[in-house]
Amino acid sequence: AQKVTQAQTEISVVEKEDVTLDCVYETRDTTYYLFWYKQPPSGELVFLIRRNSFDEQNEISGRYSWNFQKSTSSFNFTITASQVVDSAVYFCALSEETGSSNTGKLIFGQGTTLQVKP
Amino acid sequence: EPEVTQTPSHQVTQMGQEVILRCVPISNHLYFYWYRQILGQKVEFLVSFYNNEISEKSEIFDDQFSVERPDGSNFTLKIRSTKLEDSAMYFCASSDSRRTEAFFGQGTRLTVV
């Protein structure tokens, strides 16, 4: 069964600290896609990154980096030198390519609330 | 930059009333979705729509719910007889393929009283 687990419900850090948000997924498919979305206090869902299951290369975008490890079914997200504007709920999500669901449906984790204090 | 737009941003309705939530997806996108988020909880899939028909729906999407693409631009979610537990943020999303990222609208907060 498809499942996404974000075990950290809330994280609080002080500005300029590095922080890692964990994401563990379950799927039987060999082809799948992983995503991170940010939900700031204003409520919208902002796309951050998409990875496919065949690409385990880590990605860096400015202060953001992502570590995808198929061996542990994890897709962790690190913010370096956090800022107050990073305060938001972050969701990890999974989409499967084949099997019973190949419609682009996203399965979301519970979300991690990140609070960055000045 | 193209974006998904949803109207209204907030709707208050009485229990038992019908509501229609409206969305304008990104113009060249082919896949459309509705999700909901009960306050403080995770985002849940409701329905996906492609080629003018529902391609998948969740257990939440029962007979009270329906979707429609009445013209080339709008995508609507109708709840026939609202219940208190339908109170949530409803997000519309679209993507150009089922393999790529979906872009979300800003959401409609539905409050059923």
Side-chain angles (χ1 to χ4, degrees):
Chain A
Q2 359 147 299
K3 189 177 176 183
V4 177
T5 302
Q6 295 179 254
Q8 304 150 309
T9 308
E10 291 183 25
I11 301 176
S12 181
V13 299
V14 176
E15 209 169 19
K16 297 183 185 174
E17 284 185 16
D18 299 348
V19 59
T20 296
L21 310 182
D22 297 333
C23 173
V24 174
Y25 61 91
E26 291 177 34
T27 177
R28 292 181 184 153
D29 277 7
T30 55
T31 304
Y32 51 89
Y33 305 91
L34 296 164
F35 305 81
W36 277 94
Y37 284 85
K38 174 182 180 180
Q39 187 175 42
S42 48
E44 72 271 26
L45 284 164
V46 179
F47 165 75
L48 295 178
I49 190 171
R50 165 187 169 273
R51 299 303 274 174
N52 73 56
S53 52
F54 297 109
D55 184 2
E56 282 194 76
Q57 249 190 340
N58 290 334
E59 176 140 349
I60 298 174
S61 175
R63 295 184 298 106
Y64 294 172
S65 62
W66 291 269
N67 184 341
F68 175 30
Q69 292 197 342
K70 286 178 79 169
S71 60
T72 55
S73 297
S74 65
F75 185 42
N76 296 337
F77 173 30
T78 297
I79 301 175
T80 303
S82 59
Q83 299 175 1
V84 172
V85 293
D86 296 327
S87 297
V89 182
Y90 291 86
F91 289 97
C92 181
L94 165 72
S95 174
E96 295 175 323
E97 169 75 8
T98 55
S100 61
S101 172
N102 61 351
T103 61
K105 172 181 82 175
L106 292 171
I107 305 296
F108 283 85
Q110 293 282 6
T112 297
T113 300
L114 174 65
Q115 184 180 37
V116 182
K117 299 178 182 175
Chain B
E1 186 175 317
E3 58 180 18
V4 177
T5 56
Q6 291 184 241
T7 54
S9 55
H10 190 189
Q11 173 131 20
V12 181
T13 189
Q14 290 207 324
M15 195 168 53
Q17 294 296 305
E18 174 182 286
V19 294
I20 297 177
L21 310 184
R22 302 181 190 281
C23 169
V24 179
I26 295 174
S27 62
N28 62 339
H29 284 183
L30 301 174
Y31 292 79
F32 313 111
Y33 310 89
W34 282 100
Y35 290 82
R36 82 170 186 191
Q37 184 182 31
I38 294 171
L39 186 64
Q41 298 187 22
K42 70 176 179 181
V43 180
E44 300 175 290
F45 169 77
L46 291 179
V47 66
S48 59
F49 192 87
Y50 170 70
N51 201 25
N52 282 319
E53 60 182 20
I54 291 174
S55 46
E56 186 176 0
K57 58 184 181 180
S58 71
E59 290 176 357
I60 303 168
F61 194 88
D62 61 21
D63 292 343
Q64 294 298 315
F65 291 87
S66 62
V67 289
E68 196 176 34
R69 189 154 159 82
D71 52 44
S73 58
N74 291 286
F75 180 50
T76 61
L77 173 69
K78 181 193 292 187
I79 309 176
R80 252 179 284 283
S81 178
T82 50
K83 303 187 276 284
L84 293 176
E85 54 265 37
D86 293 328
S87 295
M89 181 76 93
Y90 288 81
F91 290 103
C92 173
S94 69
S95 62
D96 58 5
S97 97
R98 56 186 171 85
R99 297 183 180 90
T100 56
E101 57 272 17
F103 291 91
F104 284 76
Q106 78 278 24
T108 293
R109 180 165 298 286
L110 177 65
T111 303
V112 182
V113 297

